[in-house]
Amino acid sequence: MIQKKVCILGPTGVGKTSLVKQFVEGIFSDKYKTTIGVKIDKKQVNKDGLGVQLLIWDLEGIDRYCGFNPRYLRGATAYIVVVDQTRSQSLLEGMEILAMAQEHYPDIPAFFVVNKADLPSSWHWSEEEVATYASKFKSMTKTSAKTGENVEDLFSTIAFWSE
Amino acid sequence: MSNQQQNPDAQDNSLDKIRQLIVGRDDKYVKDVVSRDAKVIVTDVVSEALHERENADGSVNKVLVPLVEKSLHRSIEANSEKIVGTLYPLVGTLVRKAVSSFLVDFVERTNALIENSFSPKSVSWRFKAWQSGVKYADFVASQVYQYQVQQLFVIHRETGTLLHTMSTDPDRSKDADLISSMLVAINDFVADAFQPTGNEAENELGEIKTGDFTLLIKIGPQAILVAAVVGSVPPEIRSKLQQTLEEFHQFYQKPLLEYEGDNSAFEGCETLLNDCLISQKKESEGGKKKHLVGALVLGAVLIILMFLAFLRIELSILQNTIRSLTPPAGIVITDTAIENGKVQVRMLRDPSILTAPQWLENEGIALNDVVLYEEPFVSLQASVVEEKLNRLLSVYPAVTSRIDEKNNLKFSGNLPLGALTQFTRELNAIPGILQLKPDLSGISITAGQAMSNKALKEALLAELAAQVSAVKIDFATNQQALAPSQTQTLEDLTLLLKQLQDVAQQLNLTFAVFVMGASDNSGTPTRNLELSRARAKNVSEALINMGINEDVLFPIGLGQVSLQEASMGRTVFINVLVSQRSSNEGETP
């Protein structure tokens, strides 16, 4: 079976961990994440009789005061930048994170996730502005970790992504 | 001509112009031609030229060395990953060799140190090592290093994904992929947290240790080998892991470089990893059982040995007791030994005294463990002689004995002639009786007999004379000295002669003892005559020494006597001639 490493990045409180929890049944408790800044889960995704095991590295929330350890991205097949559509600032922070990641690993495909789709969009960004930012990514997905909307699709897309 | 002389400068200028036309200004045409073919020209001679120049003054090396150094340095700086990847298996082997040779040396020295150390623990370990038949140093190692490699992970270094895992317990392999990712994350975390310069190669985890559990991490260019070890980690595991990792890189170089998440290429690596899944456990139950059986056998053997030793000690005590006893007169213990679980006692015993078993029983010694070997012998001890005399006297109640003032054994009493003759004979038969100096003159022949006392004494004299005449003393061939074995015969003879002297005196008779030496017919007659004389003389002198009056002894040499049996001739005969004293002698005051 093919194994793929996927990293999840994003500002604090956008729901990265919830997103992963929605996708997998967590095995490690969250305390690991606060220790070394990363929590790892795995999930097998099947499509057309092919199986891919995703190893999902859930990185600690990143804010403007602390960056993230770019080493964690090494060897990843893809990474996801998660933002929260109820907080305008999260989009800007997400873009900063993308810039940082691309600085170290420009070849790894990045995926854009706008989370909390179950809540009404309350940021001041227009659809066009969001689309402009999203163009820097391979794809954009609106998800809800609460309802599970598009979560399976997101990981399935990443698992079988090919350029 | 005059032109030529007038314009020499003009001629020079024209030559220069011609040269410029041919070779160009500043030899430009020549240079162009040369530089056009420079590559070909240099290529043809470059090796030879370098070689010759180097041989001439060694300057090529001087120029090249700094250049090579500089370019090597640049190359390593630019492609360090690549170079490390290429050199890794080679350097690993070199380092391992150097380290292992150092370790061997170190272990040898430690060995010597351990061998020389002496503590109760080392003594017990030495004993156990001897018991299990291994070298002491190996045993010490086994005591110190008790471990088990429980699980092995081969992790792709770049992605942190698990390439392969092996475990002693299959349940453990379940989350190996998460564990390996976590390990890589931890490794990244450590590298990031403690290495601000970002030189990651120098700051990677080699080991994670908690209590009895150790994660050994060996990092290669493309893969990481991790061993989960429980117990004390022996150094050979580390080198084993290192070696395995290098081999892994060699075998799977291509799949490692082209890895994109597909593990199928690494399916066959189990044989490679198997060598690392080793353990050294504390002695198992079976070992304990074996020890128990060993202890039982040892115990049984010890008990048997102790029992045998006890028996042996008992026998030794018995042997010592017997040896320390003072045997009664007539018994001589010649040897004691412990054989076949019994005390063997060899002794000489005079048959006339009490038997050896009687004696030992009297001493309170049980005879169950004693075997007696008796050799009969004649004891000349005074007490034995007295005992024999007492027995004789008990047969003749009419005779009493006492020791007189001259320390002679005086017999007194009355006996008929026959009984006296018998008594005399029996008394003389007691070995060693002579030392008591017996004197029979006090015995009177009983009047009840028909014959007169004088006649009786004459009869006794005749009897004694006959006994004396019957004595002969044998010699060895060509020997004139008396053999020690003849001592008893001489003593008996002396006793008889003294008794004869007494009786003859009482009867007022005189007697002569002819001591006649003879020889066999070997050797010359002259020599034989001399020999016979010497033999007679020696016997006479022996008798004189034992108290016989010299005047009655007449040694005579008979020379060679040719008898049928040669040994019969090598002897001294005694003959007694009794005669009346002449009146003159008798009447002499």
Side-chain angles (χ1 to χ4, degrees):
Chain A
M1 188 187 310
I2 306 290
Q3 298 186 91
K4 287 185 176 174
K5 172 179 173 180
V6 177
C7 293
I8 299 182
L9 311 167
T12 314
V14 295
K16 299 182 295 298
T17 305
S18 304
L19 204 65
V20 177
K21 266 192 181 158
Q22 175 64 41
F23 181 56
V24 301
E25 189 50 51
I27 292 164
F28 291 106
S29 76
D30 290 344
K31 72 184 174 196
Y32 292 115
K33 196 166 80 174
T34 49
T35 309
I36 64 165
V38 64
K39 175 168 132 18
I40 299 161
D41 286 299
K42 64 173 176 178
K43 170 89 182 197
Q44 190 175 329
V45 185
N46 296 306
K47 188 178 151 189
D48 303 334
L50 280 173
V52 170
Q53 174 160 282
L54 291 182
L55 286 154
I56 303 160
W57 291 45
D58 174 12
L59 272 63
E60 201 173 42
I62 301 154
D63 57 39
R64 63 178 59 180
Y65 306 109
C66 77
F68 67 100
N69 183 355
R71 283 169 204 273
Y72 289 152
L73 283 178
R74 188 178 57 181
T77 330
Y79 60 92
I80 303 167
V81 177
V82 185
V83 297
D84 173 2
Q85 68 160 351
T86 65
R87 281 165 49 208
S88 306
Q89 186 61 29
S90 72
L91 181 62
L92 291 176
E93 286 173 352
M95 290 306 121
E96 282 173 33
I97 290 166
L98 174 70
M100 267 195 274
Q102 280 181 335
E103 184 193 333
H104 288 98
Y105 297 98
D107 299 334
I108 302 177
F111 290 83
F112 187 44
V113 166
V114 180
N115 199 22
K116 304 196 185 175
D118 52 299
L119 297 175
S121 171
S122 56
W123 59 12
H124 56 70
W125 304 107
S126 66
E127 287 294 322
E128 289 73 30
E129 282 170 316
V130 174
T132 314
Y133 288 121
S135 64
K136 298 181 177 178
F137 296 88
K138 296 293 172 193
S139 77
M140 185 191 111
T141 315
K142 283 199 171 191
T143 61
S144 166
K146 196 174 176 183
T147 63
E149 182 191 339
N150 286 337
V151 175
E152 293 277 343
D153 287 349
L154 167 71
F155 287 106
S156 185
T157 307
I158 292 168
F160 297 99
W161 181 266
S162 60
E163 301 198 29
Chain B
M1 194 67 185
S2 63
N3 268 357
Q4 280 174 349
Q5 281 169 348
Q6 281 168 356
N7 290 321
D9 289 338
Q11 199 173 17
D12 282 345
N13 282 342
S14 58
L15 274 173
D16 274 341
K17 279 180 182 168
I18 293 166
R19 193 196 289 137
Q20 274 184 16
L21 284 173
I22 296 168
V23 301
R25 191 185 289 268
D26 297 324
D27 303 339
K28 190 174 178 292
Y29 298 149
V30 176
K31 282 179 186 169
D32 282 352
V33 170
V34 170
S35 69
R36 198 188 307 140
D37 291 322
K39 212 163 136 192
V40 178
I41 295 164
V42 174
T43 305
D44 283 347
V45 296
V46 64
S47 305
E48 289 85 342
L50 283 173
H51 181 70
E52 277 186 29
R53 184 66 196 268
E54 175 61 21
N55 280 348
D57 58 6
S59 62
V60 177
N61 235 343
K62 279 179 199 156
V63 177
L64 278 181
V65 167
L67 283 175
V68 169
E69 275 176 357
K70 214 168 175 181
S71 54
L72 202 62
H73 191 75
R74 275 190 196 151
S75 164
I76 290 172
E77 263 182 350
N79 303 305
S80 58
E81 284 283 347
K82 205 169 167 185
I83 286 171
V84 167
T86 315
L87 288 179
Y88 184 80
L90 193 67
V91 171
T93 312
L94 284 174
V95 169
R96 206 171 50 250
K97 267 192 180 168
V99 168
S100 75
S101 84
F102 164 77
L103 278 179
V104 165
D105 184 33
F106 178 74
V107 166
E108 292 285 343
R109 258 182 280 169
T110 315
N111 237 1
L113 196 70
I114 294 170
E115 299 256 339
N116 292 334
S117 70
F118 193 82
S119 66
K121 199 177 187 181
S122 83
V123 170
S124 103
W125 279 7
R126 257 169 227 279
F127 178 72
K128 284 177 186 167
W130 167 79
Q131 210 178 21
S132 42
V134 297
K135 271 173 79 183
Y136 177 54
D138 292 352
F139 185 79
V140 171
S142 79
Q143 287 298 302
V144 175
Y145 300 130
Q146 281 157 359
Y147 62 90
Q148 185 183 27
V149 178
Q150 292 189 329
Q151 197 167 0
L152 285 170
F153 306 85
V154 188
I155 302 168
H156 187 243
R157 189 179 173 188
E158 184 78 4
T159 60
T161 46
L162 183 72
L163 299 178
H164 199 85
T165 185
M166 279 184 81
S167 173
T168 50
D169 176 9
D171 286 347
R172 243 194 298 262
S173 303
K174 207 168 58 185
D175 293 320
D177 39 14
L178 285 175
I179 292 170
S180 54
S181 293
M182 207 65 205
L183 267 173
V184 172
I186 292 169
N187 197 26
D188 289 342
F189 164 74
V190 169
D192 182 64
F194 300 103
Q195 188 73 24
T197 61
N199 186 356
E200 59 186 72
E202 283 175 22
N203 199 31
E204 279 171 324
L205 279 175
E207 188 174 318
I208 298 173
K209 195 168 168 66
T210 59
D212 203 30
F213 182 81
T214 312
L215 275 180
L216 290 175
I217 304 165
K218 291 285 169 191
I219 298 175
Q222 280 91 39
I224 301 172
L225 181 62
V226 179
V229 189
V230 171
S232 201
V233 181
E236 61 261 28
I237 282 200
R238 294 169 201 276
S239 58
K240 186 90 216 163
L241 290 175
Q242 187 65 40
Q243 200 179 340
T244 307
L245 183 61
E246 285 161 20
E247 283 169 3
F248 190 86
H249 275 90
Q250 274 174 10
F251 281 120
Y252 298 104
Q253 197 165 25
K254 200 159 175 254
L256 278 172
L257 289 169
E258 295 168 356
Y259 182 70
E260 280 189 335
D262 187 2
N263 284 355
S264 54
F266 307 100
E267 294 291 331
C269 70
E270 292 216 347
T271 46
L272 209 66
L273 300 183
N274 242 335
D275 287 351
C276 293
L277 211 61
I278 45 180
S279 66
Q280 177 97 42
K281 281 190 173 178
K282 275 194 172 181
E283 48 190 42
S284 61
E285 286 297 307
K288 273 180 191 164
K289 271 183 196 161
K290 226 180 251 176
H291 278 186
L292 192 65
V293 172
L296 282 176
V297 169
L298 190 69
V301 168
L302 277 178
I303 288 170
I304 290 169
L305 282 177
M306 277 165 70
F307 180 67
L308 288 176
F310 174 73
L311 284 183
R312 176 87 197 182
I313 289 167
E314 230 185 13
L315 287 178
S316 284
I317 292 171
L318 183 61
Q319 186 189 14
N320 272 341
T321 312
I322 292 173
R323 228 187 263 167
S324 63
L325 288 176
T326 311
I331 290 181
V332 178
I333 292 177
T334 54
D335 187 28
T336 60
I338 297 174
E339 273 171 38
N340 303 328
K342 303 239 176 197
V343 180
Q344 319 258 340
V345 183
R346 284 167 207 285
M347 57 169 71
L348 300 173
R349 186 177 72 89
D350 191 306
S352 62
I353 69 127
L354 81 170
T355 63
Q358 275 174 335
W359 161 56
L360 290 175
E361 270 173 7
N362 291 348
E363 296 285 348
I365 290 170
L367 295 170
N368 303 342
D369 294 328
V370 184
V371 180
L372 297 168
Y373 297 97
E374 289 184 13
E375 293 273 345
F377 90 116
V378 175
S379 172
L380 296 180
Q381 267 181 294
S383 60
V384 176
V385 177
E386 273 168 26
E387 169 71 23
K388 287 175 183 173
L389 179 64
N390 287 340
R391 274 193 223 165
L392 179 63
L393 288 176
S394 67
V395 179
Y396 296 90
V399 181
T400 56
S401 67
R402 68 182 173 85
I403 310 290
D404 73 358
E405 61 281 357
K406 289 180 188 165
N407 219 14
N408 291 330
L409 181 64
K410 266 261 198 261
F411 290 96
S412 54
N414 297 303
L415 279 179
L417 177 62
L420 180 60
T421 312
Q422 184 65 28
F423 177 74
T424 309
R425 195 178 290 146
E426 285 181 28
L427 181 71
N428 290 344
I430 296 175
I433 192 70
L434 192 64
Q435 61 190 323
L436 298 179
K437 301 177 190 167
D439 181 359
L440 290 166
S441 58
I443 298 176
S444 305
I445 295 162
T446 45
Q449 298 293 325
M451 297 164 79
S452 69
N453 199 18
K454 189 184 172 209
L456 289 171
K457 285 196 171 167
E458 281 171 352
L460 179 60
L461 186 73
E463 166 72 24
L464 287 168
Q467 281 186 38
V468 169
S469 299
V471 172
K472 70 185 191 65
I473 296 138
D474 296 326
F475 287 80
T477 307
N478 203 22
Q479 285 294 320
Q480 59 194 47
L482 284 162
S485 57
Q486 298 296 336
T487 312
Q488 186 61 47
T489 314
L490 283 170
E491 282 179 357
D492 293 346
L493 178 61
T494 309
L495 184 63
L496 288 169
L497 286 174
K498 280 184 176 175
Q499 287 167 359
L500 188 70
Q501 203 167 1
D502 289 346
V503 177
Q505 206 160 16
Q506 286 168 26
L507 291 171
N508 200 25
L509 295 173
T510 184
F511 71 101
V513 179
F514 294 94
V515 181
M516 298 174 287
S519 140
D520 61 18
N521 53 3
S522 63
T524 61
T526 319
R527 164 69 189 146
N528 284 339
L529 184 61
E530 273 173 23
L531 193 62
S532 65
R533 278 178 185 158
R535 283 172 177 169
K537 194 164 168 280
N538 282 343
V539 171
S540 301
E541 278 171 2
L543 290 172
I544 290 164
N545 285 339
M546 285 194 268
I548 303 300
N549 190 355
E550 188 182 350
D551 298 341
V552 302
L553 295 173
F554 296 92
I556 299 164
L558 297 177
Q560 79 181 42
V561 182
S562 301
L563 296 171
Q564 278 180 332
E565 182 59 46
S567 66
M568 287 171 69
R570 293 189 296 271
T571 191
V572 167
F573 307 99
I574 310 290
N575 202 4
V576 177
L577 185 63
V578 180
S579 69
Q580 291 290 326
R581 280 180 191 271
S582 67
S583 53
N584 285 343
E585 286 174 44
E587 285 165 6
T588 308

